[in-house]
Amino acid sequence: MALSAGAKTILLVAIGLFMTFMGIFSFIMFPRILQWQVEENLVLSPEAEPYEYWKVVPVPIYARFYFFNITNTQDVLDYNVKPHLVEMGPYTFRETREKVNITWHPNGTVSYYQVKRWFFEPSLTTGSLDDLVTNVNVPLATAVNQGIRSGDSFFISGIDAILEHAKSTIFVTKRVRDLLFEGYKETILDTAKEIGIDVPYDKFGWFYPKNNSDDGEYTIYTGKSDFEKYGFVNLWKGNSLLSGRHAPCNQIAGTAGDMWPPFRNDKTQKLELFVADICSTLQLSYLNEVEVNEIEAYRYWLDESAFDNGKYEQKNSCFCDDSCMPAGALDIETCQHGAPAIVSFPHFLNADSVYGDKMDGLNPDPEKHRFIIDLEPKLGIPINVDARLQINVAIPNCDEIENLDLPDEKIYYPIFWFSESASINLETAEKLKFVTKMLPQYVSIGCFLSVACGIIILVLAMHRAIRRLRKKPKKQMVYSAVRVVSQNEFLKGLDSS
């Protein structure tokens, strides 16, 4: 049955109104629908899409180590001159991370161990792992530091006796491979064990024996119960507080670096990153907006207040122990088996001059030595990371130790700095670009076309109705004119008859 002209006009109006309404409604509701879908799909579970990416980090991570070689150790010992440093490297390793022993908990958290493995990359290395580096004898510095911290004259005398027997020196020359992963034997370690001092390792190396091992159990929020805590660390090694730190600096906060809560609306909010190796949560500040592989991201960085120890913000004074260190470095002794280690930016960038003024050969450069993370704000995924930190060892002064040449005042020796860098691959970038950029564009275009088509249909319907209304009076006038003519003809006929 064919529709009448009026019914067709009404149908066009209905279609036009529907398309216009749906276009506007979809445009307004799409961000909420997208957020709901993203949150539903990001919740960590064995069935979730991001699970495999979370379990085994899919992008290559490159760890680059730069060692400081002291070229004038004899003059330092004999004449108390400034150590002269020459940077060596980078010595590059490809790092992989895999989460094992994954346990899901009903309270919306998951526990796991993360196994790290390092594979040497000769083609990306300047030099060889057999290069010799001269720097501080860390086991010796650790023994001296423990003796001084004990405050026990008897213990210090015992350390002094060990040094006389061991014939150890404050500086050692070792291969890069030994300083990193393979470790080296040190006489003082064996001597300390013989007299009953608890030594946690048989050899010393900064990452010995960490290759193919984990750094403890993590428990993080999956987003199931509270999406604002998505990815945040709840427990580390079963604890929510860090030993060796004063409150509130002993609180574990931030994520482990894999992801952050999505839809980050406030870009100025600090980006919190828990780093187990330094027993601290780093707080990164917003820097600017960047584009990585055509993906818009927020760049965060560790600014000059990152290791301020209370100089810039009083609340950071809880990082101090017996006394506050000069700003620009953080004491990590409790994380390094009692070694007097501190962490800073490479070449003491942004640090107090007391650190760099006692060394020759340091050249801090913000472009080369800053710590940055580029975060995609809609999904909370880091798409580019350049984490750069420096490990230093403090050599104290102690007049009670006679069998070792110690400096007249405490000196912080840079040992090495490292960069851990990773960027998403093109395949992952295309997926992110589709969800965060292309899909919203497609929806916006679709909504615009829907509204435009709806308006066009409404205009056509109105035009059709107006034409119809205009045609209707004309037909009536023609009909009336014909009727008048017919009546006149009829009257004329009557008159003639």
Side-chain angles (χ1 to χ4, degrees):
M1 181 179 177
L3 293 174
S4 64
K8 289 180 180 178
T9 302
I10 293 172
L11 180 61
L12 286 175
V13 171
I15 293 173
L17 288 173
F18 177 78
M19 293 185 70
T20 303
F21 172 78
M22 286 305 298
I24 297 172
F25 178 80
S26 299
F27 184 79
I28 295 173
M29 293 302 298
F30 174 73
R32 299 180 184 179
I33 295 172
L34 177 63
Q35 180 171 347
W36 173 69
Q37 282 294 310
V38 166
E39 292 181 354
E40 283 290 313
N41 287 283
L42 283 184
V43 173
L44 274 179
S45 70
E47 298 79 24
E49 183 177 350
Y51 174 73
E52 292 299 328
Y53 295 95
W54 171 79
K55 182 180 179 183
V56 180
V57 177
V59 299
I61 303 171
Y62 291 100
R64 296 174 174 87
F65 300 92
Y66 300 80
F67 277 88
F68 292 102
N69 183 46
I70 305 175
T71 62
N72 61 338
T73 54
Q74 199 58 49
D75 289 340
V76 172
L77 295 173
D78 294 343
Y79 306 110
N80 199 30
V81 300
K82 285 184 179 182
H84 180 72
L85 308 175
V86 175
E87 185 179 282
M88 300 174 62
Y91 303 93
T92 306
F93 292 78
R94 179 172 51 85
E95 180 182 332
T96 64
R97 299 181 181 185
E98 179 184 5
K99 296 174 178 63
V100 299
N101 297 338
I102 300 171
T103 305
W104 305 92
H105 305 296
N107 66 342
T109 62
V110 58
S111 298
Y112 63 89
Y113 292 83
Q114 182 167 253
V115 176
K116 295 182 180 180
R117 302 179 181 90
W118 287 271
F119 304 90
F120 182 54
E121 294 283 349
S123 63
L124 301 176
T125 294
T126 300
S128 162
L129 290 182
D130 291 318
D131 289 347
L132 295 175
V133 177
T134 300
N135 210 304
V136 171
N137 186 341
V138 178
L140 178 73
T142 302
V144 172
N145 182 66
Q146 289 184 350
I148 294 173
R149 279 194 172 275
S150 70
D152 187 338
S153 298
F154 180 76
F155 186 44
I156 295 175
S157 298
I159 294 294
D160 199 27
I162 292 175
L163 293 173
E164 182 181 16
H165 178 267
K167 302 297 181 183
S168 296
T169 59
I170 195 67
F171 299 113
V172 293
T173 300
K174 299 296 178 183
R175 299 179 302 173
V176 171
R177 65 172 70 249
D178 299 326
L179 292 170
L180 284 174
F181 296 102
E182 296 184 14
Y184 63 89
K185 289 282 188 179
E186 175 56 42
T187 305
I188 195 170
L189 295 177
D190 297 329
T191 307
K193 286 183 179 179
E194 289 175 3
I195 64 174
I197 296 178
D198 183 28
V199 179
Y201 37 72
D202 59 333
K203 294 195 295 183
F204 174 77
W206 285 102
F207 295 90
Y208 170 82
K210 294 183 178 181
N211 204 347
N212 197 30
S213 69
D214 63 82
D215 55 0
E217 184 185 48
Y218 289 83
T219 301
I220 68 169
Y221 291 97
T222 64
K224 182 179 179 181
S225 58
D226 186 353
F227 221 86
E228 291 185 0
K229 294 182 179 180
Y230 178 71
F232 273 58
V233 178
N234 179 33
L235 303 172
W236 179 55
K237 294 185 177 180
N239 298 306
S240 59
L241 299 176
L242 297 165
S243 60
R245 297 279 188 216
H246 302 297
C249 294
N250 62 343
Q251 295 178 357
I252 295 176
T255 78
D258 298 309
M259 64 275 193
W260 278 267
F263 298 99
R264 192 175 186 85
N265 297 319
D266 183 6
K267 64 178 69 172
T268 62
Q269 181 185 0
K270 295 275 189 176
L271 196 69
E272 294 183 316
L273 173 66
F274 174 67
V275 184
D277 288 334
I278 63 174
C279 298
S280 299
T281 296
L282 299 177
Q283 294 194 336
L284 289 81
S285 302
Y286 172 77
L287 183 60
N288 56 8
E289 291 190 21
V290 296
E291 189 172 284
V292 181
N293 289 332
E294 299 183 3
I295 298 173
E296 296 175 356
Y298 295 162
R299 171 161 291 180
Y300 291 86
W301 68 310
L302 286 180
D303 59 24
E304 65 277 357
S305 66
F307 306 120
D308 86 79
N309 298 322
K311 178 180 179 180
Y312 298 98
E313 294 186 29
Q314 182 60 34
K315 66 177 184 179
N316 291 332
S317 60
C318 56
F319 282 115
C320 304
D321 194 1
D322 298 330
S323 60
C324 282
M325 294 175 56
L330 181 66
D331 188 344
I332 57 171
E333 179 180 325
T334 55
C335 300
Q336 300 296 331
H337 304 292
I342 65 173
V343 65
S344 68
F345 291 116
H347 289 249
F348 289 120
L349 174 69
N350 298 329
D352 191 288
S353 60
V354 70
Y355 298 105
D357 286 351
K358 295 179 181 179
M359 304 283 158
D360 286 332
L362 296 177
N363 299 290
D365 184 341
E367 292 300 317
K368 294 180 179 179
H369 301 143
R370 66 183 177 182
F371 187 123
I372 60 170
I373 294 177
D374 296 332
L375 187 75
E376 198 294 307
K378 289 187 178 69
L379 300 182
I381 297 175
I383 59 176
N384 180 60
V385 176
D386 252 321
R388 302 174 179 122
L389 293 173
Q390 178 172 292
I391 302 299
N392 316 273
V393 169
I395 303 299
N397 170 261
C398 183
D399 295 333
E400 296 180 65
I401 295 180
E402 300 176 353
N403 291 297
L404 188 66
D405 292 321
L406 293 173
D408 294 335
E409 57 181 348
K410 182 181 286 189
I411 298 179
Y412 301 92
Y413 278 90
I415 307 298
F416 67 92
W417 71 271
F418 65 91
S419 168
E420 282 194 328
S421 59
S423 293
I424 59 170
N425 54 38
L426 290 177
E427 180 184 354
T428 307
E430 287 298 321
K431 291 181 179 179
L432 279 179
K433 188 166 67 172
F434 176 78
V435 174
T436 62
K437 193 173 183 179
M438 303 305 294
L439 183 58
Q441 286 182 356
Y442 292 152
V443 171
S444 297
I445 292 171
C447 293
F448 173 78
L449 291 176
S450 179
V451 172
C453 290
I455 292 173
I456 291 171
I457 292 172
L458 286 172
V459 171
L460 289 174
M462 290 176 63
H463 179 68
R464 182 184 177 91
I466 291 170
R467 284 186 59 191
R468 190 164 167 272
L469 289 173
R470 285 179 177 177
K471 287 180 179 180
K472 190 172 183 181
K474 289 181 180 180
K475 290 181 180 179
Q476 184 68 28
M477 289 174 63
V478 171
Y479 173 74
S480 299
V482 171
R483 188 174 179 185
V484 168
V485 170
S486 299
Q487 288 177 350
N488 291 336
E489 290 295 328
F490 177 72
L491 291 173
K492 284 181 182 180
L494 291 175
D495 292 337
S496 59
S497 55

